[in-house]
């Protein structure tokens, strides 16, 4: 919402407890978008927490504190948008009164089949663990009904996409690069900037990139992260590829219509498979030319 208001000419200040914005996203996505938003006029107060505030008739005041120095500042604004996250609305369900087991966060506990502690009660969506996303709840709903009637319902939580509807849009699925490093998984990375995409350049809307992470041994796609005008739509290809256990080569060798923004996904997969055609190959050519010049000297 901050990006929407900023686009309408509003001065926007973001107060974030962590040292980076969107800490749940891939590091390169977070860094890129912070630079982009700063260029657009956003002001960021990172590493700060809100410790107080008051609401007046025409404005609101917020007191923030630096996490490291403990220095306090007062910010005044016309409107304060609170976006500190969500929690399950389960208190009115009275589920615990009927013997349904709850966790410490107030969510209904379920097993791998979406079944609660009561064998005839199933739970899905925002009241159970996992991302609070409508499309995740939809998949769980179908799986739960299949399990109820004796079929084998299943949800692949590694293939649930996330989309942030800013402009450009941000979309992601699977592991981030930081998670793969933490888990000590050997991986390859393909990267393609939207500025190199002909369709994006034709409509003069080329902020962003597509990043593909694949297993170094098997080439299986482990994560895809993108920033583009159509990221929310383009991520579906990556989700489908991961659902079928595709490799980066599988997508790289799949014909994509030209010119389309989805070609950026193909290009990033080419990079992950070490057979880039445009972006990285251009870099290699430039580097080889520089080396030749040095030899002549």
């Amino acid at each position: 919402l901050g990006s929407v208001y900023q686009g309408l000419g509003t001065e926007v200040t973001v107060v974030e407890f962590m040292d980076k914005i969107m800490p749940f996203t891939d590091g390169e996505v977070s860094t890129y978008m912070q630079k982009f938003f700063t260029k657009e006029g956003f002001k960021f107060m990172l590493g700060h927490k809100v410790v107080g505030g008051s609401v007046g008739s025409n404005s609101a005041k917020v007191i923030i504190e630096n996490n490291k120095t403990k220095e306090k500042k007062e910010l005044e604004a016309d409107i304060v948008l609170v976006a500190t996250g969500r929690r399950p609305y389960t208190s009115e369900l009275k589920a615990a009164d009927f013997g349904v087991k709850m966790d410490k966060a107030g969510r209904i506990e379920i097993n791998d089949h979406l079944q609660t502690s009561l064998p005839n009660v199933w739970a899905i969506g925002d009241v159970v663990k996992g991302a609070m996303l409508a499309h995740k709840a939809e998949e769980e709903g179908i799986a739960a009904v299949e399990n109820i009637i004796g079929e084998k319902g299943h949800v692949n939580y590694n293939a649930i996409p996330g989309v942030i509807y800013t402009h450009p849009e941000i979309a992601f699925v699977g592991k981030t690069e930081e998670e793969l490093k933490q888990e000590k998984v050997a991986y390859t990375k393909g990267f393609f900037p939207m500025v190199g995409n002909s369709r994006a350049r034709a409509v003069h809307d080329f902020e962003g990139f597509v990043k593909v992470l694949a297993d170094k041994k098997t080439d299986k796609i482990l994560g895809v992260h993108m920033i583009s005008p159509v990221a929310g739509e383009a991520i579906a290809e990556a989700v489908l590829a991961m659902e079928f256990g595709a490799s980066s080569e599988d997508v790289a060798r799949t014909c994509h219509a030209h010119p389309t923004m989805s070609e950026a996904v193909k290009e990033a997969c080419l990079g992950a498979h070490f057979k880039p055609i445009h972006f990285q190959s251009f870099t290699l050519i430039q580097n080889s030319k520089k080396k030749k010049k040095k030899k002549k000297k």
Side-chain angles (χ1 to χ4, degrees):
L1 283 175
S3 65
V4 174
Y5 278 103
Q6 193 279 329
L8 296 172
T10 306
E11 292 183 7
V12 178
T13 299
V14 178
V15 179
E16 169 60 52
F17 182 80
M18 304 296 286
D19 292 328
K20 67 175 186 176
I21 66 170
M22 303 181 298
F24 52 87
T25 62
D26 186 86
E28 286 189 271
V29 171
S30 174
T31 299
Y32 185 101
M33 290 308 297
Q34 185 176 336
K35 289 180 180 179
F36 172 78
F37 285 138
T38 300
K39 184 176 65 176
E40 292 294 297
F42 272 65
K43 294 179 182 178
F44 290 99
M45 303 290 292
L46 304 180
H48 285 75
K49 62 181 178 182
V50 176
V51 295
S54 60
V55 179
S57 56
N58 296 312
S59 64
K61 294 180 180 180
V62 175
I63 301 172
I64 62 173
E65 180 181 276
N66 187 297
N67 294 336
K68 294 180 180 179
T69 65
K70 304 303 178 182
E71 179 186 357
K72 293 182 180 180
K73 292 182 180 180
E74 184 179 81
L75 302 178
E76 185 172 2
D78 298 312
I79 298 174
V80 175
L81 296 176
V82 180
T84 55
R86 292 174 289 174
R87 57 185 176 183
Y89 185 66
T90 54
S91 59
E92 297 302 317
L93 291 177
K94 307 296 182 182
D97 295 344
F98 295 96
V100 175
K101 193 174 181 180
M102 315 289 286
D103 65 14
K104 294 180 180 179
R107 298 171 300 194
I108 297 174
E109 288 193 0
I110 55 173
N111 59 21
D112 293 338
H113 307 291
L114 303 166
Q115 194 174 32
T116 70
S117 55
L118 296 182
N120 62 333
V121 178
W122 280 257
I124 64 165
D126 294 354
V127 298
V128 301
K129 62 183 179 181
M132 291 183 172
L133 299 170
H135 46 278
K136 174 255 193 185
E138 181 182 353
E139 297 303 315
E140 288 179 330
I142 295 172
V145 172
E146 289 175 335
N147 288 326
I148 290 171
I149 63 176
E151 295 183 6
K152 303 297 181 181
H154 173 70
V155 179
N156 180 5
Y157 290 102
N158 290 322
I160 301 294
V163 182
I164 303 175
Y165 296 97
T166 50
H167 187 83
E169 295 178 349
I170 305 163
F172 45 88
V173 63
K175 299 288 187 179
T176 65
E177 189 168 358
E178 290 72 25
E179 287 174 334
L180 292 178
K181 288 180 179 178
Q182 186 176 7
E183 295 170 12
K184 297 182 180 179
V185 176
Y187 65 91
T188 59
K189 178 171 71 173
F191 185 95
F192 189 80
M194 292 305 295
V195 72
N197 178 269
S198 57
R199 180 68 175 271
R201 291 184 67 85
V203 297
H204 199 70
D205 200 351
F206 44 76
E207 286 286 354
F209 60 83
V210 177
K211 175 179 177 179
V212 174
L213 302 168
D215 188 281
K216 192 170 184 178
K217 294 181 179 179
T218 66
D219 194 35
K220 182 179 179 180
I221 297 174
L222 302 176
V224 179
H225 310 270
M226 58 180 72
I227 301 169
S228 85
V230 296
E233 301 290 341
I235 196 64
E237 178 180 8
V239 175
L240 183 63
M242 291 183 64
E243 188 66 46
F244 281 96
S247 65
S248 66
E249 182 182 10
D250 289 330
V251 178
R253 290 185 180 276
T254 300
C255 183
H256 289 60
H258 175 79
T260 58
M261 293 193 189
S262 64
E263 287 180 284
V265 178
K266 175 186 176 78
E267 294 284 354
C269 283
L270 280 166
H273 188 55
F274 296 116
K275 292 185 178 179
I277 295 176
H278 297 108
F279 177 63
Q280 292 185 24
S281 58
F282 175 76
T283 304
L284 291 173
I285 292 171
Q286 290 293 90
N287 288 339
S288 64
K289 286 183 178 178
K290 289 180 180 179
K291 288 181 180 179
K292 288 180 180 180
K293 288 180 179 179
K294 288 181 179 180
K295 287 181 180 180
K296 289 180 181 179
K297 289 181 180 179

